[in-house]
Amino acid sequence: MNPDALRLFALSESRALGESIGASLGLPLSAHEERDFEDGEHKTRPLENVRGCEVFVIQSLYSEPGKSVNDKLCRLLFFIGALKDASARSVTAVLPYLGYARKDRKTKARDPVTTRYVAQLLEAVGTDRVVTLDVHNLAAFQNAFRCPTDHLEAKNLFVEHFAARVLDLEMVVVSPDIGGVKRAEQFREALSLRLNRPTGSAFMEKQRSAGIVSGEALVGDVKGKAAIIIDDMISTGGTISRTALACRKQGAQSVHAAAAHGIFVGKADQVVADPALDSLVVTNTLPPFRLDSELVRNRLTVLDAAPLFADAIRCIHNGGSIVDLLGEE
């Protein structure tokens, strides 16, 4: 890796994760300025020369007190534009959590397709590549962008976590809905390979309309087993909660859940504290700042995704293979 031709920036809300990625790369974060004006406008600019450099910008797109996802997206767009105007050779947007990825198709008349709109905004300011982790709908993400994209997965992080902790029970991997079956199946295959023994599968019936979730049937055998629920994100936690309860009713001996992104809005504290759930695992694509209860924090494990992003940046910079990094064919 040639550090002289590489610049790594992390906008303020993602600085902690950016510093971890930089530490994994052996590369310090480059300096930049973020300034707010009295009327709510802002500017962001690099404070180092980026002419001819390959630049990576880290920004997780989630809302938090004082800054909405819209604020963060706007700051990211302006910063990428400033980098391109400063003659950066290429700019890769590293988006550990990609906001607006859930509305990826029209389900009602005249619905927006915000995944595609965000892609168009990023491309309009000159983004050359996008890297993200476990998007809600991979096909929609890949089809929304015209620039190259790299999709990373937390699957192997979860495999190592559970392989070291749930060894004495037969395991079954549970998808909380039909749409997540492929994600769950990929995790099940990787876990079975890691443990060198078969792992069962199950999925939960789920319908959603106007924000209301229904469906209670659990398909698959979980009785006497350790059930591992796999999803891409936990928002209010309702999907995980109803799946955990269904597993318990069907006789699961223990129930665990894993999701790449812990958003934790609404009454998520209550969901995580639910006795139907033994443990919950997320990554640090965004901090679990909405969880306050000590009981909740004791049940929650946050895995570090920084080395995975660092390896991806290294692969891109050196012309390596992301496929090899993820262990896929």
Side-chain angles (χ1 to χ4, degrees), residues 1 85 89 119 134-135 147 175 181 186 189 238 245 259 263 268 270:
M1 192 169 70
D85 284 348
R89 178 167 60 85
D134 278 319
V135 294
C147 70
S175 172
V181 166
Q186 290 174 337
E189 290 176 352
L245 183 59
I263 303 171
Q270 297 176 19

Coordinates of all heavy atoms in Angstrom, one line a residue, residues 1 85 89 119 134-135 147 175 181 186 189 238 245 259 263 268 270:
M1 N 0.8 -1.2 0.0 CA 0.0 0.0 0.0 C 0.9 1.2 0.0 O 1.9 1.3 0.8 CB -0.9 0.0 1.2 CG -2.0 1.0 1.2 SD -3.2 0.8 2.5 CE -2.3 1.2 3.9
D85 N -13.3 18.8 -6.6 CA -12.8 20.1 -7.0 C -11.3 20.4 -6.7 O -10.6 21.1 -7.4 CB -13.7 21.2 -6.4 CG -15.0 21.3 -7.0 OD1 -15.2 20.7 -8.1 OD2 -15.9 22.0 -6.5
R89 N -7.8 12.1 -7.3 CA -7.9 11.2 -8.5 C -9.2 10.4 -8.4 O -9.8 10.2 -9.5 CB -6.7 10.3 -8.5 CG -6.7 9.3 -9.6 CD -5.3 8.7 -9.7 NE -4.9 8.0 -8.5 CZ -5.2 6.7 -8.2 NH1 -6.0 6.0 -9.0 NH2 -4.8 6.2 -7.1
A119 N -28.3 7.2 -4.6 CA -27.3 6.8 -5.6 C -27.0 7.9 -6.6 O -25.9 8.2 -6.9 CB -27.6 5.5 -6.3
D134 N -23.9 -4.9 4.5 CA -25.2 -5.5 4.7 C -26.3 -4.6 4.5 O -27.1 -4.2 5.4 CB -25.2 -6.1 6.1 CG -24.6 -7.5 6.2 OD1 -24.8 -8.3 5.3 OD2 -23.9 -7.7 7.2
V135 N -26.5 -4.2 3.2 CA -27.7 -3.4 2.9 C -29.0 -4.2 3.0 O -29.0 -5.4 3.0 CB -27.6 -2.8 1.4 CG1 -26.4 -1.8 1.4 CG2 -27.5 -3.9 0.4
C147 N -22.0 3.7 -10.7 CA -20.6 3.6 -10.3 C -20.3 2.2 -9.7 O -21.2 1.6 -9.2 CB -20.2 4.7 -9.4 SG -20.8 4.6 -7.7
S175 N -34.5 -17.0 9.9 CA -34.8 -15.8 9.2 C -36.1 -15.2 9.8 O -37.1 -15.9 9.8 CB -34.9 -16.0 7.7 OG -35.3 -14.8 7.1
V181 N -34.4 -14.9 3.9 CA -34.0 -16.3 3.9 C -32.7 -16.5 3.3 O -31.9 -17.3 3.8 CB -35.1 -17.1 3.2 CG1 -34.6 -18.5 2.8 CG2 -36.4 -17.2 4.0
Q186 N -27.0 -18.2 3.8 CA -25.6 -18.0 3.7 C -24.9 -18.0 5.0 O -23.8 -18.6 5.1 CB -25.4 -16.6 3.0 CG -25.8 -16.6 1.5 CD -25.7 -15.2 0.9 OE1 -25.7 -14.2 1.6 NE2 -25.5 -15.1 -0.4
E189 N -24.8 -21.8 6.1 CA -23.8 -22.5 5.4 C -22.4 -22.2 6.0 O -21.6 -23.1 6.2 CB -23.8 -22.2 3.9 CG -25.1 -22.8 3.2 CD -25.1 -22.4 1.8 OE1 -24.3 -21.5 1.4 OE2 -26.0 -22.8 1.1
G238 N -39.1 -4.9 16.9 CA -40.4 -5.6 16.8 C -40.2 -7.0 16.1 O -40.8 -8.0 16.5
L245 N -40.0 -14.7 20.4 CA -41.1 -15.3 21.2 C -41.6 -16.6 20.5 O -42.0 -17.6 21.2 CB -42.2 -14.3 21.3 CG -43.5 -14.7 22.1 CD1 -43.1 -15.0 23.5 CD2 -44.5 -13.5 22.1
A259 N -27.6 -8.8 14.1 CA -27.9 -7.9 13.0 C -26.7 -7.0 12.8 O -26.1 -6.5 13.8 CB -29.2 -7.1 13.2
I263 N -30.0 0.1 15.1 CA -30.5 1.4 15.1 C -31.2 1.7 16.4 O -31.0 2.8 17.0 CB -31.5 1.6 13.9 CG1 -30.8 1.2 12.6 CG2 -32.0 3.0 13.9 CD1 -31.7 1.2 11.4
A268 N -37.0 0.0 21.7 CA -36.0 -1.1 21.5 C -35.4 -1.6 22.8 O -35.0 -2.8 22.9 CB -34.9 -0.6 20.5
Q270 N -36.8 -2.2 25.5 CA -37.7 -3.2 26.1 C -37.5 -4.6 25.3 O -37.6 -5.6 25.9 CB -39.2 -2.8 26.0 CG -39.5 -1.6 26.9 CD -40.9 -1.1 26.7 OE1 -41.8 -1.8 26.3 NE2 -41.1 0.1 27.1

